[in-house]
Amino acid sequence: MAAAPYRSRRSVLAVPASNPRFVEKAREIASDAFFLDLEDAVAPSEKDRARDAAAAALTEGGWGARVRTVRVNALDTPWTYRDVITVVERAGADLDCLVLPKVTDPVHVQWLDLLLTQVERACGLEPGRIGIEAQIEDARGLSAVDAVAAASPRLEALVFGPADFMASMNMRGLEVGEQPAGYDVGDAYHYVLLRILTAARANGLQAIDGPNLKVRAPEAFQTSARRTAALGYDGKWTVHPSQVEAANTVYAPDQAEFDRAERILEAYEHATSVERRGAVTLDGEMLDEASRKMALVVSAKGRAAGLARSDAARSG
């Protein structure tokens, strides 16, 4: 099975599959990715209808170059297998990934991998073409995150689920993603976020932060996004169109950062290939192989966000 492709996920828009108005509106929103939700945003009585609606929405198109994703129900429910079979049979050619929520064991990911392979083959799709994103949402999931991250070559991303995680830890708070009541030093989620990020990077995966539900408080979303972007996260779930632009900005380098990274790569390439030196000085800073690796990260994220090197940088 081929390695999973790289897909930009700075902003991942949550769209209830059971709400036709929201689905139609989502086609107009410039998020990097979206997921049609069959899980928490859908009432039990609407599960079957939402499943059919998600498949129809994908086949109708109009999504542009965005990453097209469906979040199926968790494996402790009676709906998961039918979610996978129906969506892939009807819309597998128009689907990039499935999100599997509440993953607590690598076997969960392996089960989905096997079922996807069977359905892909039955539908004449290339086995392995549909990726998996695994949500880490509780203490058991976090404890098993290293094994989960290595469970399948289909895996493309680990996603933090803050609401269920807060509940599983008995945190004192009702505001999703916000610091729990009484925690006034540091970040209560730092260990969790870094643990997920480390497992993701060790296995070549992206790490995506969960949502901030304060849709009328943009500063809360931006603060949360800047924190995880600084750690190295690739993007964040958004629950309202107003959060998308902020996520696209926060999880991409600005023009000056991108230009600087490109200049570092250019200078280092010249030093090692032409001058045959292992280090070079640029703007008074000594650069070596580690500098090149750091610049590659910024350059890759910038190019995925559509940045190009500015004229000023090229002329300099």
Side-chain angles (χ1 to χ4, degrees), residues 183-198:
Y183 201 96
D184 57 358
V185 178
D187 179 3
Y189 305 100
H190 180 75
Y191 169 76
V192 182
L193 291 165
L194 197 59
R195 179 84 184 271
I196 292 172
L197 177 64
T198 302

Side-chain angles (χ1 to χ4, degrees), residues 1 50 62 65 75 78-79 96 171 190 217 232 301 307:
M1 189 179 294
L75 277 171
W79 302 296
D96 294 314
M171 283 187 173
H190 180 75
K301 288 190 174 184
L307 291 179

Side-chain angles (χ1 to χ4, degrees), residues 4-9 32-36 58 63-71 87-88 91-99 112 116 120 125-126 128-133 153-157:
Y6 179 84
R7 314 183 203 264
S8 183
R9 291 179 170 90
D32 280 354
F34 67 90
F35 67 91
L36 300 172
L58 289 170
W63 300 106
R66 278 165 284 184
V67 183
R68 302 158 298 176
T69 309
V70 172
R71 178 166 71 164
V87 171
V88 176
D94 300 296
L95 177 69
D96 294 314
C97 291
L98 290 178
V99 180
L112 180 55
L116 277 172
E120 285 168 338
L125 300 171
E126 178 188 357
R129 72 165 301 279
I130 298 172
I132 297 173
E133 301 176 24
R154 288 185 189 265
L155 269 173
E156 297 188 18

Side-chain angles (χ1 to χ4, degrees), residues 144-153 155-158 193-207 231-234:
V145 69
D146 295 313
V148 168
S152 166
L155 269 173
E156 297 188 18
L158 299 180
L193 291 165
L194 197 59
R195 179 84 184 271
I196 292 172
L197 177 64
T198 302
R201 293 295 185 256
N203 291 277
L205 310 179
Q206 290 183 327
L231 279 178
Y233 271 64
D234 298 281

Side-chain angles (χ1 to χ4, degrees), residues 248-277:
N248 286 345
T249 299
V250 169
Y251 289 98
D254 61 29
Q255 187 67 54
E257 289 178 295
F258 179 75
D259 288 343
R260 171 72 177 169
E262 290 285 294
R263 292 181 62 219
I264 289 173
L265 293 174
E266 182 180 75
Y268 190 75
E269 173 65 20
H270 182 80
T272 55
S273 299
V274 178
E275 300 177 356
R276 300 185 181 278
R277 292 187 290 120

